[in-house]
Amino acid sequence: MRWNVLPYTIPLWITLIFSIGTAIYIFKRRAVPGAIALFIMSLIMSLWSLGYIFELLSQSLREKIFWDNVQMLGGAMGVSCFAFALQYTKQKICLKRRVTILLAIEPVIIWILAVSNLTELFRGNAYIDTSGPFPALIYDMGIASWIDFAFGYVMYILFIILLIRFFIRSHDLYRKQASFMMIGLTITAGGYILSFLDLIPKYMRDVSPFTFTILNLSLFFSIYRYKFLNTVPIARETLFEKINDGLIVLDANKVIVDINLLAQTIINTTTNEVIGQLFHGIFPNSQEILKNMDNSMQTNLEISLKKIDQEYIYEVESLPLVNKRNTNIGWLIVLHDISERKKMEKALQISEEKYRNVCEFANDGIVIIQDGYIKYMNTKLLEMINHTYEEVINHYFDIFVIQEFRTLVRETYRRRIMGEEVNNRYEITLLCKNGDKLDVEVNAAVMNYNGRLATLGYIRDITERKRAEKALRELAVKDPLTQIFNRRHFFILAQKEFELSIHHKYSMCAIMIDIDHFKQVNDNYGHAIGDQVLCNIANNIIDSIRDTDVLGRYGGEEFAVFLPKTDICKAQLIAERIRKNIMQSSVSTDRGQIFVTASLGVAQILNFDEDDIDKLFDRADKALYTAKQKGRNKVIIYN
């Protein structure tokens, strides 16, 4: 061992310790999207640093080449960066096993070439240079080395593109997380470029491991300052910021990881002041909330907050957040302002007349039910159901509820009056005078009315919320442009039909459809017209298939159809019908009619014991490729 080399290994030992510590921390949070890829990246940094340390300490050429081969495992660094970006930014491309294998092929082949070095494909003219402060391994880069360099930087560029796109459309918290990831990896990539372009002294052949310390520090800062790996990006702008309740997200350690604008207003703070802070150090009356939390159930309680000499009362709901393994990973705190409702209840206790004056100006509907009959209904609720006061007073209350919910409403009312434990808040649908249906949330309580028990109900219109929830559900299953199933949901439905057909030994077929020369439509007429063409084609396909068939947008200008209980002859007829309908249809523009054609590939199940749905659609795709080779605007059966 050459002792004069030891000072140069100190930064590498620091990097090694940092990398191992980071890997252990990340592995404990491996359930978070992107954590596994980041864990692999940390292991690669550890191996790379360890290999470089022992390369510097080795004296013979053979030993140095051995430890240089260990460092070549770092070729998977770019792949792990790209894989992390795919998972963290929740791209539609998911890391299935076959995608992972494809990404790993290049690093594995390069490592094999580095170890075997056949015909010096990886390194040539290796020797020990003694002109520097310590003996260093020097060699010429082979063609395999340059391929590995190019592949790694393609992966890194893709990583940067994904994170920049994510940065533009994300919340401030996630922007900061992404920024530190990009900064750390950019410095590492810069060191890698300097090494490959021989812009550093020969004896410092590879400075990448020295930059890993900076990368690890950026990771640590992102983890501890911005709670990276404790939170994941969500579609928060639609619901989280615009909901009428204050929302606070806690991790498993009761640390605040997100907070919406209304909650910031309630507790008079900002995001930068509370993110990363313990909940009990920020929120008033937090001890009362925390002691009621339980990992297996949600809790509700009321708290009072004073702001500018005015008291506000909030209903606090604590909802446990669990992962796929049903393990508690945090809490969602919902703050609902019930100050107005409390004022109404207090007014009721003073006098019915004062109560009516208050509730007539309320934003929610209010109803009093006694012995099953409506005794009072405020103006807001009358407007909601489009009735007059005379039309509802002393009428049985459930005639204004749709049939589906009448049994629930009657039973809940009966049990509440009997003093039994019932859910005070539930959702029903009211029947309006003009026949329209109105989704509402009911919050009911028992009261004393004219010396006898009655039910007081607060009715809130949740039509917009229901519409938003429906839109979110449709976004999860439908292609937003053509309004047919997206690829993910298409394969979920097709897989169910496939398994049913396999069980009953039914014939089944698949059709792959690709629009011929669709790029020319976009180039000549613009993407807006191209979108109209895609929608027109989707409608033509819908008109050409049966109700039992499953249609989805496969991607771009490709569509897929699964045909259950269908033999190849009938499938060919359906495919021809689709082709003709597309060919004969057109889209009107100010530059005239646009006609397009389509190529179709058809395949059928061949072996009930060995085939799966992927094989079925692979065959249809091959037939589609043949149709395009044979001139397009054709239907080809897989043979």
Side-chain angles (χ1 to χ4, degrees):
M1 179 183 294
R2 298 177 183 268
W3 297 101
N4 61 320
V5 180
L6 284 177
Y8 294 93
T9 66
I10 292 175
L12 298 174
W13 283 110
I14 294 173
T15 296
L16 177 61
I17 294 169
F18 265 113
S19 299
I20 293 173
T22 303
I24 293 172
Y25 181 89
I26 294 172
F27 184 76
K28 292 179 179 178
R29 288 153 179 80
R30 57 189 179 275
V32 177
I36 293 297
L38 211 56
F39 170 71
I40 294 173
M41 189 192 307
S42 298
L43 290 183
I44 289 171
M45 289 190 286
S46 303
L47 285 172
W48 200 333
S49 302
L50 183 68
Y52 200 21
I53 289 171
F54 282 96
E55 179 193 323
L56 294 178
L57 295 176
S58 300
Q59 299 184 32
S60 69
L61 179 62
R62 183 177 180 181
E63 288 176 346
K64 286 183 178 294
I65 290 176
F66 171 81
W67 288 109
D68 186 57
N69 288 336
V70 172
Q71 296 172 64
M72 289 308 106
L73 293 170
M77 187 80 169
V79 171
S80 60
C81 288
F82 179 56
F84 163 76
L86 285 178
Q87 292 180 323
Y88 182 69
T89 60
K90 298 233 175 149
Q91 296 298 305
K92 292 181 180 179
I93 307 171
C94 55
L95 284 177
K96 293 182 179 178
R97 180 177 297 177
R98 58 184 178 181
V99 177
T100 305
I101 292 173
L102 285 174
L103 289 174
I105 287 175
E106 190 275 345
V108 171
I109 293 176
I110 292 298
W111 185 78
I112 293 172
L113 290 175
V115 173
S116 60
N117 202 29
L118 297 174
T119 64
E120 300 186 342
L121 281 173
F122 189 83
R123 65 170 74 83
N125 301 323
Y127 65 95
I128 297 178
D129 179 51
T130 57
S131 62
F134 54 81
L137 173 64
I138 305 296
Y139 55 79
D140 297 331
M141 287 177 55
I143 184 66
S145 296
W146 286 107
I147 291 173
D148 186 43
F149 174 78
F151 179 80
Y153 272 87
V154 167
M155 292 291 101
Y156 173 72
I157 290 169
L158 292 174
F159 161 84
I160 288 295
I161 291 173
L162 289 175
L163 257 65
I164 289 175
R165 287 177 57 196
F166 174 71
F167 181 91
I168 293 172
R169 64 175 185 263
S170 292
H171 181 256
D172 183 60
L173 170 65
Y174 307 122
R175 287 182 177 181
K176 291 173 181 176
Q177 293 179 356
S179 297
F180 279 93
M181 283 294 298
M182 288 190 287
I183 291 170
L185 280 166
T186 299
I187 293 173
T188 296
Y192 201 38
I193 290 176
L194 292 175
S195 301
F196 264 79
L197 299 182
D198 290 332
L199 298 178
I200 57 174
K202 276 190 174 181
Y203 64 87
M204 293 290 291
R205 179 175 53 82
D206 187 2
V207 298
S208 298
F210 294 97
T211 65
F212 290 159
T213 301
I214 300 174
L215 175 55
N216 277 291
L217 286 173
S218 68
L219 276 174
F220 269 109
F221 190 81
S222 184
I223 286 170
Y224 286 107
R225 179 63 185 90
Y226 299 115
K227 298 306 168 186
F228 180 55
L229 297 182
N230 284 352
T231 59
V232 293
I234 58 174
R236 65 193 306 284
E237 301 303 328
T238 301
L239 297 177
F240 195 76
E241 291 295 357
K242 296 183 179 179
I243 198 168
N244 290 326
D245 292 330
L247 299 178
I248 303 174
V249 183
L250 311 181
D251 67 9
N253 298 317
K254 309 298 189 303
V255 172
I256 299 174
V257 295
D258 210 348
I259 181 171
N260 73 346
L261 291 173
L262 186 56
Q264 294 173 46
T265 303
I266 292 172
I267 61 176
N268 193 25
T269 187
T270 64
T271 301
N272 291 333
E273 292 175 348
V274 299
I275 295 297
Q277 303 297 318
L278 287 170
F279 179 67
H280 69 77
I282 298 296
F283 194 83
N285 307 92
S286 59
Q287 294 300 326
E288 188 177 358
I289 299 171
L290 291 172
K291 72 180 181 181
N292 286 297
M293 285 185 177
D294 187 285
N295 288 344
S296 60
M297 60 182 294
Q298 67 185 64
T299 59
N300 296 77
L301 60 106
E302 295 178 3
I303 62 169
S304 176
L305 299 177
K306 281 190 175 182
K307 291 190 289 185
I308 316 178
D309 297 328
Q310 187 172 354
E311 185 181 46
Y312 291 87
I313 301 175
Y314 293 93
E315 183 178 65
V316 182
E317 188 172 13
S318 307
L319 300 168
L321 303 176
V322 296
N323 57 19
K324 293 180 179 178
R325 300 176 182 175
N326 206 32
T327 302
N328 183 276
I329 59 172
W331 294 89
L332 175 64
I333 308 296
V334 183
L335 306 172
H336 179 60
D337 188 351
I338 58 172
S339 305
E340 188 175 353
R341 193 181 86 197
K342 286 296 181 180
K343 289 178 182 177
M344 294 177 188
E345 292 175 355
K346 188 175 182 180
L348 270 175
Q349 295 172 1
I350 299 172
S351 79
E352 182 182 344
E353 183 179 352
K354 289 183 179 180
Y355 163 75
R356 292 192 179 189
N357 290 334
V358 172
C359 63
E360 283 302 318
F361 295 99
N363 291 324
D364 291 337
I366 299 173
V367 62
I368 297 176
I369 299 171
Q370 191 174 63
D371 299 328
Y373 294 93
I374 298 172
K375 296 300 180 180
Y376 170 76
M377 185 178 290
N378 73 342
T379 304
K380 178 67 176 179
L381 185 51
L382 290 170
E383 292 174 353
M384 288 165 62
I385 63 174
N386 198 23
H387 276 284
T388 65
Y389 190 79
E390 291 72 21
E391 290 172 337
V392 300
I393 202 69
N394 290 325
H395 282 76
Y396 205 68
F397 70 97
D398 70 355
I399 65 172
F400 302 102
V401 179
I402 68 169
Q403 187 68 42
E404 178 185 349
F405 292 103
R406 286 182 182 176
T407 302
L408 168 67
V409 172
R410 290 171 187 163
E411 183 62 18
T412 304
Y413 171 78
R414 183 192 65 81
R415 292 179 60 193
R416 183 179 294 108
I417 292 297
M418 295 295 293
E420 299 181 20
E421 286 284 339
V422 291
N423 191 357
N424 290 331
R425 183 184 295 182
Y426 54 91
E427 295 176 4
I428 61 172
T429 303
L430 298 181
L431 187 62
C432 301
K433 184 177 180 179
N434 58 4
D436 290 344
K437 296 178 181 179
L438 183 70
D439 292 319
V440 298
E441 180 184 76
V442 179
N443 200 324
V446 175
M447 65 171 291
N448 187 296
Y449 184 77
N450 291 335
R452 293 190 298 115
L453 291 180
T455 293
L456 172 65
Y458 298 91
I459 314 296
R460 174 172 293 182
D461 185 352
I462 58 171
T463 306
E464 289 301 320
R465 192 182 84 189
K466 286 291 185 180
R467 187 177 291 118
E469 290 172 355
K470 181 181 178 182
L472 284 175
R473 286 194 297 269
E474 288 184 353
L475 280 174
V477 300
K478 286 189 177 181
D479 172 51
L481 175 64
T482 60
Q483 292 301 302
I484 62 177
F485 292 130
N486 58 29
R487 179 171 178 167
R488 174 181 171 276
H489 196 67
F490 166 77
F491 274 105
I492 290 174
L493 297 179
Q495 181 67 35
K496 291 180 180 178
E497 292 290 341
F498 180 87
E499 292 172 358
L500 186 64
S501 298
I502 289 291
H503 178 73
H504 293 287
K505 303 294 183 185
Y506 292 146
S507 296
M508 66 188 101
C509 293
I511 303 176
M512 289 294 294
I513 307 164
D514 185 81
I515 311 308
D516 297 330
H517 304 299
F518 183 71
K519 185 176 182 299
Q520 295 179 8
V521 176
N522 282 332
D523 292 344
N524 295 333
Y525 296 93
H527 288 278
I529 299 298
D531 289 346
Q532 291 182 36
V533 171
L534 286 174
C535 293
N536 183 59
I537 288 168
N539 291 332
N540 274 289
I541 299 174
I542 292 171
D543 293 339
S544 305
I545 62 177
R546 306 161 301 182
D547 292 339
T548 54
D549 300 330
V550 185
L551 168 64
R553 186 177 179 188
Y554 196 78
E557 64 269 24
E558 283 190 296
F559 298 85
V561 183
F562 181 79
L563 308 170
K565 299 182 182 180
T566 307
D567 58 31
I568 194 65
C569 294
K570 187 178 291 185
Q572 184 176 11
L573 291 175
I574 294 173
E576 280 292 345
R577 185 161 65 240
I578 294 172
R579 185 189 68 82
K580 290 179 181 177
N581 285 346
I582 292 175
M583 181 178 66
Q584 295 168 0
S585 179
S586 66
V587 172
S588 299
T589 72
D590 54 3
R591 294 167 58 184
Q593 301 292 109
I594 299 178
F595 290 89
V596 295
T597 61
S599 301
L600 296 89
V602 185
Q604 66 176 337
I605 188 77
L606 299 178
N607 189 312
F608 284 97
D609 295 324
E610 297 181 4
D611 278 359
D612 57 32
I613 197 165
D614 289 334
K615 291 181 180 178
L616 178 61
F617 276 93
D618 283 344
R619 294 184 192 125
D621 198 45
K622 290 176 181 177
L624 169 62
Y625 181 73
T626 303
K628 297 173 80 69
Q629 284 186 320
K630 291 187 176 183
R632 306 177 189 268
N633 193 20
K634 296 181 183 299
V635 173
I636 295 296
I637 308 299
Y638 176 81
N639 188 357

